[in-house]
Amino acid sequence: MIGKRVLNNVYWHTSLTSAQSDAVQEAVAKAEILANIHAEIDYNVIKYDVTGQGLSLLFYQEFYNAPFPVLEISYRINLDIQRVEIRSYASSLNPPILHRKELLLSEHHPRISEYRDLTMAAEQLGLFDNPIAIGFKRAWENLIAEKGFQLIDGQFVPIGNSESIDEPSFDSGQTTAIARHLTALSRSNLSAPMQCLARHGFLDGSLTVFDYGCGKGDDIRNLSANAITVSGWDPHYAPDRPKQVADIVNLGFVINVIENYYERQEALLGAYNLANQVLVASAMLFNQNALKGQAFNDGVVTQRNTFQKYYTQSELKEFIADTLETDAIPVAPGIFFVFKNQDAEQRFLFGRQRSQRNVLRLSHRPISPAEPKLSRNEKKYLAYKHLIDPLWQKILELGRLPDKSEIDSLIELTEAFGSISKAIRFTLDNNEDALFEQARQSKIEDLITYFALQAFSKRKPYKHLEAGLQKDIKAFFGDYQHAIETARSILFKISTAELIAEACRHATEQGLGFLDEGEALHLHTSMVQELPALLRIYIGCATILYGDIEQTDLIKIHIKSGKLSLMRYDDFENQAIPRLLERVKINLREQTFDLYKYGDAFEPTNLYLKSRYINEEFPHFAEQLHFDEQLQALNLFDLSGYGPKPEEFRQTLARARWEIDGFELIRSRSIPNLDESCGSYLTYRQLIECGETQRATGIPNLPKQADSYNALYDLAVNIIDPVIDYFGMVNLTYGFCSHELGKHIHKRVAPKLDQHAAHEVNTKKNHICPRLGAAVDFIVDDENMREVVDWIAENTPYDRLYFYGDDRPIHVSYGPEQKREYVELVMANSGRQVPRKRQLSH
């Protein structure tokens, strides 16, 4: 299938659907009909499960124009049971985002090179080093900032200096004395240039560092804390410190704050002359902030009287190279390495290989057109942002327009806008109506829930209500009596199963829990306040009977029976598969509840697929989702219902050579008993003691690496088991070969290539066979081995496959490269067998 492969799923843009197989196109068409949606209008990306578990039709906002589009809505479709699950992310604070979107498009798409360049830039900054944690907006934005960059106009721009965001306002004499020192930032982490040095291995402690223009010295403190020899100089903050020669010299965002071109050159040359091995030079790149200032020389002066020269990537490279008369190597947007030592430069370039080519492409990225000047309204917003933003937060908090008594900066807002009503109108005009409406509806739901639950206690007179609550009643209901009647009308509906079912479906569409269709809604207690008022009242009635639910983890709303279950787990937040400790089942109709404690009379059960019960705003959600996808991709368990019992789960996972490490499924680190099953038909001993040399010498031939046993297991499950299922039992002639056994095999072998050594290492701790994986030679009695080898090539995910003759053993391997290389040995005119790659006809 064409597209981006992630575990068992393939993603592609709707423009590629016509390039998929007829069966896939038919499945997508059926899904469209079932969900009653249309390509490009309601969805633009397909997520297809190759195991046949279903597909999802996804709509990403601004797919073509957003650098990393945000997922707005998902339609998960199971064609077998004709079920559609809708999930909206419109109100999510941390929606999923899409990376590497060029992989979802045709090679001939007109913007494919632009998208590839963006991906290359992200790779270059190390943003994809931990792909598990970056699938959601909040983590992605935080990571970009941690790397010392910001995303502006679809480009990564280094965070180099402090810039004013206030409305520009200048006097005629302001540029006479530029305040360069005001651009220095205070940092808690390493600056972007220092992080580049770290990524490329320069900050291992073996090289000295000098920070030329060190500002407030945050990089120096951070490096010193990591036992790196470092010093620095700054004309304002550290003028008395000496300028010292060092292996590495950092000129970090200095040249862009110097208003005089020749002084810039002097600073660059001065820093370069102090470097023994490499100078890292960086400067601010052209972005939307480049227009916020008064033109001066070749840059701008900000309201704070600081100077900024904004470069393009190619302009900065040219300035550095021309000034120093040597090559400047781009390592990130706005950051260059300049080597003094040619050998060091060549080692660096050789080590980078592919990433260096990516960087050079980035240097020739076309410049984005300049944005138009800010409008009068935008300038006003920037000037009073410090007043408007808190006012907007107050409006969202209240869900209504605030009274004067509820506004903190009343005097300042009145002075700025003439009246508080004008300030409120300006604030509303410059923010999203949809957010205000969402806040308004949320507050109404809060109040309805509050008043409905007050029905179980003595009602307070209106005059005794808190002043803010009185304002809420007037704004949302008109009067107290109407508020009470509205709440009671919803309270009486909690006994109607159809209405509860509808509310549960609505909740799951907003990402609030997992709906067991027609049975129950399961969700984490942290989501209760986001539920529709009807469900909040339903749960609230249970709390009146039982007490506080905050000590529990999961809530199960039984749709038809009028019951509610509360479950408490062992460290729910930090365990990938939490264990049930306590369950309370509350019967609202009979006003009773039952308490079950697990551990003695009741065996604690596992909670599988925890990501279904939480959402992207819950701690560790990305890691949990990845874990659950890994677990499902193993295809070892039936996870429907309550899933396997804990002991069965542990044994099955261990037998398949997997173990849980935090939120990761990793290959087993244990050494199994040789007589344990390795796949369905063989044991590890059979794969280890099957060679004639091993039997003749008696060498134990034991793998020392746990990964070797993992590789043997994968070989058995993916290759040997299917062959035995189809042809019958095989006769093993050569299996695992240890480093010690290999010394006694005198016939022509290639241990560095043949994969019989699996993951074993030599005396230098290097893998004997860098291809990894595992290999075996075998023959099937009474079968033409040509038929066997062809069947393997057609039906299994082999790595290398060698055919020696119709009645001779074959060699087959399974490994990480998955090259599917099929070689047969044919007789040449010289009378010797020579290898020839074979192409399958399908």
Side-chain angles (χ1 to χ4, degrees):
M1 294 177 68
I2 305 171
K4 172 183 170 182
R5 181 72 178 257
V6 181
L7 292 176
N8 288 336
N9 299 303
V10 179
Y11 295 75
W12 69 86
H13 187 263
T14 50
S15 59
L16 281 186
T17 299
S18 59
Q20 308 294 353
S21 68
D22 292 342
V24 170
Q25 291 186 53
E26 183 180 351
V28 173
K30 288 180 178 178
E32 273 193 3
I33 293 170
L34 187 61
N36 191 28
I37 58 177
H38 302 87
E40 292 300 327
I41 299 173
D42 303 300
Y43 77 96
N44 47 25
V45 169
I46 295 91
K47 175 185 176 184
Y48 191 90
D49 190 331
V50 297
T51 65
Q53 299 298 309
L55 69 157
S56 297
L57 304 180
L58 315 171
F59 183 75
Y60 284 91
Q61 298 173 3
E62 294 288 321
F63 178 88
Y64 289 115
N65 296 322
F68 301 99
V70 171
L71 182 61
E72 183 175 293
I73 193 165
S74 164
Y75 302 87
R76 169 96 180 134
I77 298 155
N78 188 316
L79 294 174
D80 292 337
I81 61 174
Q82 297 287 287
R83 180 176 176 181
V84 179
E85 298 173 11
I86 303 173
R87 167 69 162 100
S88 170
Y89 293 90
S91 60
S92 174
L93 298 177
N94 189 32
I97 57 174
L98 183 66
H99 302 101
R100 303 179 186 271
K101 64 183 177 182
E102 71 278 0
L103 299 180
L104 280 64
L105 295 164
S106 164
E107 289 282 327
H108 307 295
H109 191 277
R111 297 180 68 178
I112 199 75
S113 60
E114 172 190 339
Y115 302 150
R116 282 176 178 158
D117 283 349
L118 184 64
T119 294
M120 290 173 186
E123 288 176 339
Q124 185 182 348
L125 298 178
L127 295 175
F128 294 149
D129 290 351
N130 181 14
I132 296 172
I134 62 172
F136 295 87
K137 185 178 180 181
R138 188 183 296 158
W140 180 242
E141 292 176 344
N142 290 342
L143 179 62
I144 293 172
E146 286 172 10
K147 296 293 184 181
F149 284 79
Q150 54 189 327
L151 194 59
I152 299 177
D153 297 335
Q155 295 188 56
F156 291 105
V157 177
I159 301 172
N161 306 108
S162 178
E163 300 170 57
S164 172
I165 59 171
D166 297 333
E167 180 181 7
S169 176
F170 305 95
D171 58 56
S172 58
Q174 196 171 17
T175 59
T176 56
I178 300 297
R180 297 176 187 172
H181 66 282
L182 293 181
T183 61
L185 290 180
S186 294
R187 306 176 188 274
S188 58
N189 60 332
L190 286 174
S191 64
M194 289 297 185
Q195 291 195 48
C196 282
L197 287 167
R199 277 197 298 277
H200 292 289
F202 288 97
L203 299 184
D204 60 359
S206 63
L207 302 175
T208 58
V209 179
F210 182 76
D211 198 354
Y212 191 107
C214 61
K216 298 177 182 178
D218 293 320
D219 275 338
I220 293 176
R221 282 189 290 275
N222 286 325
L223 293 179
S224 296
N226 286 278
I228 294 173
T229 304
V230 58
S231 58
W233 168 87
D234 188 89
H236 181 82
Y237 292 98
D240 298 328
R241 293 181 185 175
K243 296 179 181 178
Q244 296 180 346
V245 173
D247 298 316
I248 301 165
V249 173
N250 174 45
L251 187 68
F253 305 105
V254 170
I255 55 178
N256 51 279
V257 303
I258 300 175
E259 71 278 9
N260 184 288
Y261 180 85
Y262 297 105
E263 282 190 54
R264 271 180 236 154
Q265 287 187 314
E266 288 176 9
L268 184 59
L269 284 165
Y272 182 64
N273 289 334
L274 295 174
N276 283 332
Q277 288 198 23
V278 61
L279 166 72
V280 53
S282 52
M284 298 293 289
L285 292 186
F286 184 87
N287 63 79
Q288 65 185 20
N289 292 323
L291 301 172
K292 297 176 183 177
Q294 175 178 297
F296 181 71
N297 291 348
D298 56 353
V300 296
V301 176
T302 71
Q303 186 178 7
R304 299 169 67 225
N305 207 34
T306 62
F307 176 82
Q308 289 286 357
K309 158 63 180 171
Y310 295 93
Y311 290 87
T312 67
Q313 183 86 336
S314 55
E315 182 186 9
L316 180 57
K317 176 182 172 68
E318 183 179 348
F319 172 71
I320 296 171
D322 288 351
T323 301
L324 302 181
E325 297 182 349
T326 188
D327 193 23
I329 301 170
V331 292
I335 302 174
F336 290 78
F337 284 176
V338 185
F339 285 89
K340 274 283 193 69
N341 184 302
Q342 295 300 312
D343 291 339
E345 178 180 285
Q346 291 308 308
R347 285 195 301 272
F348 173 74
L349 293 176
F350 180 76
R352 299 178 75 203
Q353 296 180 4
R354 176 173 174 272
S355 60
Q356 169 61 15
R357 293 197 297 274
N358 298 346
V359 174
L360 292 176
R361 289 181 189 171
L362 282 170
S363 358
H364 296 91
R365 179 186 293 173
I367 305 302
S368 299
E371 289 189 358
K373 289 185 177 181
L374 294 175
S375 67
R376 184 185 184 90
N377 201 49
E378 288 170 329
K379 289 180 180 179
K380 188 173 184 178
Y381 178 83
L382 289 174
Y384 299 112
K385 189 175 186 293
H386 63 290
L387 297 174
I388 296 170
D389 285 354
L391 177 59
W392 176 237
Q393 289 303 312
K394 174 62 72 173
I395 292 172
L396 292 181
E397 176 190 328
L398 296 172
R400 58 175 170 78
L401 302 186
D403 183 80
K404 288 182 179 181
S405 63
E406 297 171 310
I407 300 173
D408 294 331
S409 303
L410 183 64
I411 296 175
E412 293 90 336
L413 283 164
T414 303
E415 291 176 348
F417 290 90
S419 69
I420 196 63
S421 59
K422 288 182 180 179
I424 291 174
R425 175 49 50 199
F426 184 86
T427 301
L428 292 173
D429 289 343
N430 284 273
N431 284 287
E432 294 184 34
D433 293 341
L435 286 178
F436 179 51
E437 180 58 26
Q438 183 182 331
R440 179 178 173 276
Q441 290 299 326
S442 178
K443 190 59 179 281
I444 291 173
E445 302 254 312
D446 291 346
L447 293 167
I448 288 173
T449 303
Y450 171 77
F451 288 125
L453 296 178
Q454 288 300 304
F456 297 97
S457 59
K458 186 176 179 180
R459 177 175 141 190
K460 291 182 180 180
Y462 179 78
K463 63 181 180 180
H464 290 164
L465 296 179
E466 186 267 332
L469 187 55
Q470 292 181 355
K471 293 183 178 69
D472 290 337
I473 291 171
K474 184 177 180 180
F476 297 115
F477 302 101
D479 57 57
Y480 192 24
Q481 187 60 36
H482 185 220
I484 297 298
E485 290 173 357
T486 301
R488 282 183 174 174
S489 69
I490 295 179
L491 174 62
F492 295 144
K493 293 177 181 178
I494 66 172
S495 61
T496 306
E498 291 78 13
L499 294 177
I500 294 293
E502 182 183 346
C504 288
R505 279 193 294 274
H506 176 73
T508 56
E509 289 177 6
Q510 303 305 310
L512 303 176
F514 170 70
L515 183 62
D516 220 345
E517 192 66 33
E519 298 293 332
L521 173 67
H522 312 247
L523 74 158
H524 192 263
T525 52
S526 63
M527 301 176 183
V528 168
Q529 300 306 318
E530 300 174 60
L531 289 172
L534 183 65
L535 297 182
R536 290 170 64 182
I537 294 170
Y538 187 105
I539 295 169
C541 291
T543 63
I544 291 172
L545 177 65
Y546 168 74
D548 193 1
I549 65 170
E550 290 185 2
Q551 298 305 309
T552 60
D553 295 302
L554 287 190
I555 295 178
K556 179 179 180 181
I557 300 173
H558 302 261
I559 292 174
K560 298 176 181 178
S561 64
K563 294 179 181 178
L564 188 82
S565 294
L566 306 174
M567 281 76 69
R568 184 169 65 87
Y569 291 85
D570 179 22
D571 197 8
F572 182 91
E573 182 176 313
N574 298 304
Q575 295 295 322
I577 302 182
R579 295 169 65 248
L580 182 62
L581 299 179
E582 184 178 286
R583 178 168 64 92
V584 177
K585 180 174 279 190
I586 304 170
N587 190 321
L588 294 178
R589 293 171 184 169
E590 297 180 4
Q591 295 288 287
T592 62
F593 67 85
D594 297 311
L595 173 63
Y596 305 90
K597 288 187 178 290
Y598 292 82
D600 295 323
F602 303 99
E603 179 188 13
T605 58
N606 288 341
L607 179 68
Y608 301 105
L609 305 180
K610 190 181 84 177
S611 60
R612 298 190 301 188
Y613 311 112
I614 56 180
N615 67 14
E616 63 281 353
E617 295 176 18
F618 194 83
H620 309 303
F621 176 78
E623 294 89 342
Q624 181 69 52
L625 180 62
H626 175 71
F627 175 87
D628 290 347
E629 290 175 343
Q630 272 190 301
L631 186 63
Q632 290 175 296
L634 292 181
N635 291 320
L636 292 173
F637 309 100
D638 177 6
L639 297 173
S640 60
Y642 294 105
K645 292 184 176 180
E647 185 58 29
E648 177 192 348
F649 176 79
R650 285 191 293 269
Q651 290 179 0
T652 304
L653 199 64
R655 191 162 52 247
R657 304 289 301 161
W658 288 94
E659 60 184 65
I660 298 173
D661 182 15
F663 288 94
E664 276 283 325
L665 271 173
I666 63 173
R667 297 318 301 262
S668 177
R669 294 169 288 192
S670 65
I671 303 297
N673 186 296
L674 292 187
D675 294 316
E676 284 184 23
S677 295
C678 182
S680 300
Y681 301 100
L682 303 175
T683 64
Y684 290 99
R685 187 182 301 279
Q686 287 173 295
L687 285 164
I688 289 169
E689 298 180 355
C690 59
E692 59 182 40
T693 304
Q694 192 277 332
R695 288 193 294 270
T697 60
I699 292 174
N701 192 41
L702 295 176
K704 297 177 181 178
Q705 306 300 318
D707 279 336
S708 291
Y709 292 96
N710 298 332
L712 289 172
Y713 177 86
D714 290 341
L715 173 67
V717 168
N718 290 283
I719 308 294
I720 303 175
D721 284 358
V723 170
I724 295 175
D725 285 337
Y726 193 84
F727 291 100
M729 185 53 68
V730 301
N731 288 325
L732 304 177
T733 59
Y734 183 30
F736 172 75
C737 179
S738 65
H739 186 51
E740 293 76 12
L741 181 63
K743 298 175 183 178
H744 294 269
I745 299 177
H746 302 297
K747 62 182 180 180
R748 191 174 68 174
V749 292
K752 293 184 178 180
L753 300 173
D754 63 22
Q755 294 168 276
H756 283 289
H759 289 242
E760 296 302 291
V761 298
N762 57 27
T763 54
K764 294 182 179 180
K765 304 301 181 183
N766 296 319
H767 283 111
I768 295 170
C769 180
R771 291 175 172 174
L772 304 179
V776 67
D777 294 5
F778 66 81
I779 191 167
V780 182
D781 293 339
D782 303 321
E783 293 287 349
N784 184 315
M785 294 308 292
R786 167 71 74 182
E787 294 181 11
V788 176
V789 80
D790 283 348
W791 187 90
I792 292 173
E794 294 279 358
N795 296 283
T796 70
Y798 68 95
D799 190 8
R800 270 92 174 175
L801 184 58
Y802 284 78
F803 174 71
Y804 296 95
D806 293 347
D807 57 354
R808 297 186 62 191
I810 63 170
H811 168 94
V812 62
S813 69
Y814 179 86
E817 292 183 359
Q818 298 300 336
K819 292 194 70 171
R820 297 183 64 81
E821 190 174 275
Y822 183 178
V823 177
E824 62 177 323
L825 276 295
V826 298
M827 194 67 68
N829 294 333
S830 62
R832 296 182 60 185
Q833 283 188 320
V834 295
R836 183 179 67 188
K837 289 188 178 181
R838 186 173 180 192
Q839 300 295 326
L840 297 177
S841 58
H842 67 85

